[in-house]
Amino acid sequence: MSLPEREYTTGIDVLDRFIGGGLKAGVLAALRAPASSQSERLLAELVAQHRTVFVSITRSEREVRDWIERTVDMHHELTVRTPTVDDVLADPDDAIGPIPPESILVVDPMDLLESEPRDRYLAVLDAIKEQLRTADSVGLVHCLEADRSPANRELTLKRADQVWRLETTVRSQEIRTRLLITKARRGRTFDKPIPLVLSDRVRIDHSRNI
């Protein structure tokens, strides 16, 4: 009899229930979001719950730690790595890993890597997926959206096991945010947008019908 898959909470109870208990071990999730949105709140909620390796392509270790410590209460080990794009392309296993067993890997953002030649970027994705598999861990890559997508954004979405899309609209001086789970290779599918409130913490907006 096979053992149940390990699940990792997102830090948002209702969201965990929507996706079937949490993210399954070995899953690579892609979070698509406008650069001007509060999508980093979702990253912080996930990081707060688990031992984490946070790979930042654009910020210093101090910046990452300051942001996380101001946003959430962190009770687990946090490792911050700040490789350059060239570092990651030259040796993705060394630049991103190793990942401790049963932990979370966050790569933020993916845009600069996605703009590199396809074969070199594919090697990065392969390395990430293999490290998640061997460490029984979960990965989340932060894919910022702009008017023009990076050349290899489609490749990221193909290789990801789950794709989450954060949408933000402004109506009558009110900011509305909703999360769509557009792909769920492993985990439960959910065909309705999930309304969120992104303030000091992330919570479900119960004023919207879901």
Side-chain angles (χ1 to χ4, degrees), residues 1-66:
M1 183 176 64
S2 60
L3 295 174
E5 290 183 293
R6 178 177 174 82
E7 296 175 340
Y8 292 80
T9 177
T10 63
I12 308 167
D13 292 342
V14 179
L15 179 56
D16 285 344
R17 293 201 294 273
F18 284 151
I19 64 176
L23 292 167
K24 312 297 183 186
V27 159
L28 176 63
L31 172 61
R32 305 175 65 185
S36 60
S37 72
Q38 290 274 42
S39 57
E40 289 182 347
R41 293 281 182 180
L42 294 173
L43 303 184
E45 294 291 343
L46 179 66
V47 167
Q49 306 301 318
H50 309 281
R51 178 167 52 176
T52 300
V53 174
F54 196 106
V55 178
S56 176
I57 307 300
T58 58
R59 289 184 287 185
S60 69
E61 178 178 354
R62 186 69 266 165
E63 287 178 299
V64 172
R65 290 188 180 276
D66 285 348

Side-chain angles (χ1 to χ4, degrees), residues 76-139:
H76 301 272
E77 179 184 355
L78 174 64
T79 300
V80 180
R81 297 182 178 136
T82 57
T84 66
V85 170
D86 288 341
D87 291 337
V88 177
L89 295 175
D91 191 344
D93 284 322
D94 182 65
I96 293 173
I99 305 172
E102 300 182 353
S103 60
I104 297 291
L105 169 69
V106 175
V107 182
D108 172 48
M110 288 296 280
D111 308 63
L112 295 178
L113 293 170
E114 289 173 318
S115 299
E116 293 300 318
R118 183 181 177 87
D119 57 340
R120 300 191 73 186
Y121 179 60
L122 180 58
V124 173
L125 288 176
D126 287 343
I128 290 174
K129 296 273 283 187
E130 179 61 19
Q131 290 211 33
L132 296 179
R133 186 189 66 80
T134 58
D136 204 29
S137 298
V138 161

Side-chain angles (χ1 to χ4, degrees), residues 115 149 201:
S115 299
S149 295
R201 298 298 297 271

Side-chain angles (χ1 to χ4, degrees), residues 134-185:
T134 58
D136 204 29
S137 298
V138 161
L140 188 146
V141 293
H142 194 199
C143 301
L144 299 178
E145 298 192 324
D147 293 337
R148 184 174 180 178
S149 295
N152 290 308
R153 173 59 52 81
E154 183 180 358
L155 183 56
T156 304
L157 304 181
K158 285 182 177 179
R159 294 304 308 277
D161 300 296
Q162 289 208 12
V163 177
W164 300 353
R165 182 168 187 165
L166 193 70
E167 295 184 348
T168 301
T169 57
V170 180
R171 297 179 181 175
S172 300
Q173 299 183 339
E174 178 186 20
I175 299 175
R176 294 184 181 181
T177 303
R178 62 183 194 167
L179 182 69
L180 295 85
I181 302 172
T182 60
K183 179 181 180 181
R185 185 180 291 148

